[in-house]
Amino acid sequence: MLSMADTQQADEQTADDAVAEARDRRRTARRTARLAKEIRAFAGSHGGSAEGQLAHIGRGRTRIALVGANGEWGNLVAESFTAAQEAAEQAGITLQDDFDGPLAAKVRTGPYEWSRMAGLQLGGPANP
């Protein structure tokens, strides 16, 4: 049987857990909103729109591969798959299931990317 002191301690712990959970939800919402802002900024500076694809990269993190309307591409990382989905939704971008076919065909690579892709094997420029 629990004593009055034990019950009070359990109630305090439950209240502390609720406060910590609410704080974590607010922190996650802020990070998701910041990620959505970065996605919108990418889209705005690369032709006014973008498409994306989500991929798990380990330790619960998710990569958001973005392809702008002008073919430029970039990556962002979210804390979770859910956060990445929510950020993409808030930013208003279309998500594709795969980064192949039509989405990959939109990617435009320049001399820098080509030199970096082969450069490591062929004595190209080193990382700065």
Side-chain angles (χ1 to χ4, degrees), residues 35-49:
L35 193 57
K37 183 178 178 181
E38 290 177 27
I39 294 169
R40 283 190 299 273
F42 175 87
S45 65
H46 294 289
S49 66

Side-chain angles (χ1 to χ4, degrees), residues 42-67:
F42 175 87
S45 65
H46 294 289
S49 66
E51 293 182 57
Q53 189 267 334
L54 306 181
H56 294 282
I57 57 174
R59 295 192 179 194
R61 306 230 187 247
T62 298
R63 174 184 62 106
I64 306 170
L66 298 168
V67 179

Side-chain angles (χ1 to χ4, degrees), residues 16-37:
D16 290 345
D17 290 345
V19 168
E21 188 175 313
R23 183 180 58 240
D24 289 344
R25 279 194 308 271
R26 286 191 306 271
R27 182 182 304 131
T28 299
R30 282 192 308 269
R31 288 179 179 168
T32 300
R34 188 176 325 125
L35 193 57
K37 183 178 178 181

Side-chain angles (χ1 to χ4, degrees), residues 52-102:
Q53 189 267 334
L54 306 181
H56 294 282
I57 57 174
R59 295 192 179 194
R61 306 230 187 247
T62 298
R63 174 184 62 106
I64 306 170
L66 298 168
V67 179
N70 65 356
E72 295 291 323
W73 57 278
N75 291 301
L76 294 170
V77 176
E79 292 181 8
S80 68
F81 194 82
T82 303
Q85 285 179 314
E86 290 176 10
E89 184 178 307
Q90 287 177 20
I93 67 165
T94 302
L95 290 176
Q96 303 297 333
D97 292 332
D98 297 305
F99 195 90
D100 60 2

